[in-house]
């Protein structure tokens, strides 16, 4: 089931009260249209009835796609600093719903639990599954980019996110976690991921990235002890 409810909030531009149908959980096996809308980057967008400007309501939902082996807890980008306690909640929620703590008929062997903050991070996980990319290797590739680049965008609010996948290349975009601002793009060879996935030199970083469902470079960049 994909659960929807109506939510009232203030327009981020003019403050006028707005209402939108918000989804609390997406079942992509039953509602492939919702998965498509996330991939197309058009989900939960609206236009203010008072000022006419576009806005997007942050995601706060659980996503299930048994066919592609995905379970994702998605939280608003503004909650990133709480990633450590949120990860513990995600692990517990997954265990209750589909893991060892779930009734036998609800347990799903092939599901991978993940945690994402904001639309670009959520969409990135769907892109990985859609194109058969190892999301851990993708995070290692970002780490490699950051270690080798000389002129990185320095704004703390910027994140490097996979934005497009072609036959031989991956496009990554420096973007605002909570918004649509795209600052800079770079292209990587897709084969880079296979190399990183099997390179023993990257094994320690790989172990750190996979210590919990929050498989994201931010777990190395955003201090967990800030989260309380
Ligand atoms: Zn407005």
């Amino acid at each position: 089931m994909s659960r929807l409810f109506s939510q009232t909030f203030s327009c981020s531009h003019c403050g006028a009260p707005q209402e939108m149908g918000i989804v609390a959980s997406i079942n992509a096996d039953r509602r492939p249209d919702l998965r498509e809308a996330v991939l197309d980057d058009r989900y939960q967008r609206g236009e203010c009835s008072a000022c006419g400007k576009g806005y997007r309501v942050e995601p706060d939902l659980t996503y299930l796609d048994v066919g592609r082996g995905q379970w994702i807890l998605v939280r608003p980008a503004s909650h990133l600093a709480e990633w450590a306690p949120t990860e513990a909640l995600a692990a517990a929620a997954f265990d209750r719903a589909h893991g060892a703590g779930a009734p036998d008929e609800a347990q799903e062997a092939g599901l991978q639990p993940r945690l994402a903050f904001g639309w670009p991070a959520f969409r990135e996980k769907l892109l990985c599954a859609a194109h058969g990319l190892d999301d851990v290797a993708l995070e290692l590739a970002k780490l490699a980019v950051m270690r080798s680049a000389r002129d990185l965008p320095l704004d703390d609010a910027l994140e490097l996110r996979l934005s497009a996948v072609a036959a031989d290349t991956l496009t990554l975009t420096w973007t605002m976690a909570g918004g649509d601002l795209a600052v800079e793009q770079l292209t990587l060879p897709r084969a880079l991921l296979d190399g990183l996935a099997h390179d023993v030199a990257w094994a320690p970083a790989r172990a750190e990235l996979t210590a919990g469902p929050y498989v994201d470079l931010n777990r190395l960049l955003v201090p967990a002890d800030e989260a309380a």
Side-chain angles (χ1 to χ4, degrees), residues 8-26:
T8 306
F9 54 92
S10 302
C11 168
S12 54
H13 305 288
C14 74
Q18 300 293 306
E19 201 171 322
M20 183 184 266
I22 301 292
V23 69
S25 67
I26 294 177

Side-chain angles (χ1 to χ4, degrees), residues 87 114 135-136 203 205-216 219:
E87 176 176 62
R114 291 290 187 259
D135 65 339
V136 183
R206 194 178 175 90
E208 210 173 332
L209 281 166
T210 54
Y214 191 41
V215 175
D216 195 297
R219 74 178 301 134

Side-chain angles (χ1 to χ4, degrees), residues 30-220:
R30 291 179 197 171
R31 289 293 304 273
D33 58 312
L34 297 182
R35 172 179 171 270
E36 287 297 327
V38 174
L39 281 168
D40 290 348
D41 231 0
R42 59 186 155 81
Y43 201 57
Q44 280 186 197
R45 286 187 188 279
E47 210 166 76
C48 175
S49 58
C51 72
K53 288 185 179 159
Y55 60 79
R56 190 172 202 186
V57 179
E58 276 286 300
D60 194 357
L61 56 94
T62 53
Y63 177 90
L64 175 66
D65 185 342
V66 174
R68 293 178 185 81
Q70 291 192 288
W71 181 95
I72 311 171
L73 176 66
V74 189
R75 295 283 286 143
S78 57
H79 292 239
L80 173 62
E82 301 157 16
W83 72 260
T86 308
E87 176 176 62
L89 290 175
F94 175 78
D95 188 61
R96 275 197 310 274
H98 303 287
D104 287 350
E105 66 274 13
Q107 292 185 13
E108 295 283 352
L111 279 181
Q112 275 191 330
R114 291 290 187 259
L115 170 63
F117 291 89
W119 290 113
F122 179 25
R123 179 171 178 267
E124 180 177 69
K125 293 297 182 196
L126 301 199
L127 277 174
C128 283
H131 296 277
L133 300 171
D134 174 359
D135 65 339
V136 183
L138 175 65
E139 298 307 303
L140 292 176
K142 293 178 191 175
L143 193 55
V145 165
M146 290 188 180
R147 282 178 180 172
S148 63
R150 284 184 198 171
D151 50 349
L152 292 172
L154 282 174
D155 191 323
D156 274 354
L158 288 175
E159 297 185 337
L160 190 57
R161 293 291 168 197
L162 179 68
S163 51
V165 181
D168 299 320
T169 57
L170 308 173
T171 302
L172 281 76
T173 303
W174 284 100
T175 184
M176 297 290 287
D180 288 328
L181 180 68
V183 176
E184 207 174 293
Q185 288 196 329
L186 57 110
T187 305
L188 299 176
R190 199 169 157 160
L192 176 68
L193 264 53
D194 298 324
L196 288 169
H198 301 109
D199 188 338
V200 290
W202 288 89
R206 194 178 175 90
E208 210 173 332
L209 281 166
T210 54
Y214 191 41
V215 175
D216 195 297
L217 198 50
N218 277 334
R219 74 178 301 134
L220 312 185

